[in-house]
Amino acid sequence: METFGSSKEFLIGDDIAWETVGEGVKRKIMGYDDKIMLVQVSFKKDSIGPMHEHHHSQVTYVVSGQFKLTIGEETKVLKGGDSFYIPPHVMHGALCLEDGMLIDVFSPIREDFMQK
């Protein structure tokens, strides 16, 4: 397995460039080692996080906005202050109903996010 080491101990948000990952969706990797990763994701209204699955456990905090989120067979609308958990290998996706920001935590690290 490829290892990526770890991020610096202190990361200044303004110093990290946004990476566009979809129409109206961009992200910043805000800290990681081989076991855990924190990612800030910005969504514009009507942008989509397409349905997908991965082997990582994921916990996400909704900082702001409103999202129609599907995890497995269940769909709910979440807003700033809410959070959700996605078990490994469960299909999930989101539709942004109002401009917003998510903070994703993955374990282990999302290796695919590190490929440049």
Side-chain angles (χ1 to χ4, degrees), residues 5-54:
S6 64
S7 63
K8 297 181 288 186
E9 284 82 7
F10 297 96
L11 294 97
I12 307 305
D14 289 344
D15 294 344
I16 300 170
W18 286 102
E19 175 187 3
T20 299
V21 293
E23 190 170 331
V25 184
K26 57 187 180 178
R27 72 175 171 225
K28 290 184 184 187
I29 296 173
M30 300 298 295
Y32 63 90
D33 66 16
D34 288 333
K35 295 181 183 70
I36 194 166
M37 174 181 269
L38 181 79
V39 180
Q40 182 179 5
V41 190
S42 172
F43 284 81
K44 291 292 184 192
K45 183 179 190 292
D46 298 325
S47 58
I48 296 171
M51 291 295 289
H52 65 286
E53 62 87 23
H54 42 72

Side-chain angles (χ1 to χ4, degrees), residues 19-115:
E19 175 187 3
T20 299
V21 293
E23 190 170 331
V25 184
K26 57 187 180 178
R27 72 175 171 225
K28 290 184 184 187
I29 296 173
M30 300 298 295
Y32 63 90
D33 66 16
D34 288 333
K35 295 181 183 70
I36 194 166
M37 174 181 269
L38 181 79
V39 180
Q40 182 179 5
V41 190
S42 172
F43 284 81
K44 291 292 184 192
K45 183 179 190 292
D46 298 325
S47 58
I48 296 171
M51 291 295 289
H52 65 286
E53 62 87 23
H54 42 72
H55 71 268
H56 312 82
S57 294
Q58 177 178 344
V59 177
T60 297
Y61 175 71
V62 182
V63 177
S64 61
Q66 194 172 57
F67 296 84
K68 183 176 181 180
L69 187 80
T70 300
I71 302 173
E73 300 297 317
E74 193 169 1
T75 300
K76 291 191 178 289
V77 174
L78 299 178
K79 62 179 181 6
D82 297 335
S83 62
F84 54 92
Y85 165 70
I86 302 166
H89 300 293
V90 173
M91 290 294 291
H92 58 282
L95 168 64
C96 182
L97 302 175
E98 172 186 303
D99 287 6
M101 188 78 63
L102 302 177
I103 300 293
D104 291 334
V105 178
F106 298 100
S107 179
I109 187 173
R110 286 291 301 263
E111 305 90 346
D112 53 322
F113 288 9
M114 302 300 288
Q115 308 300 328

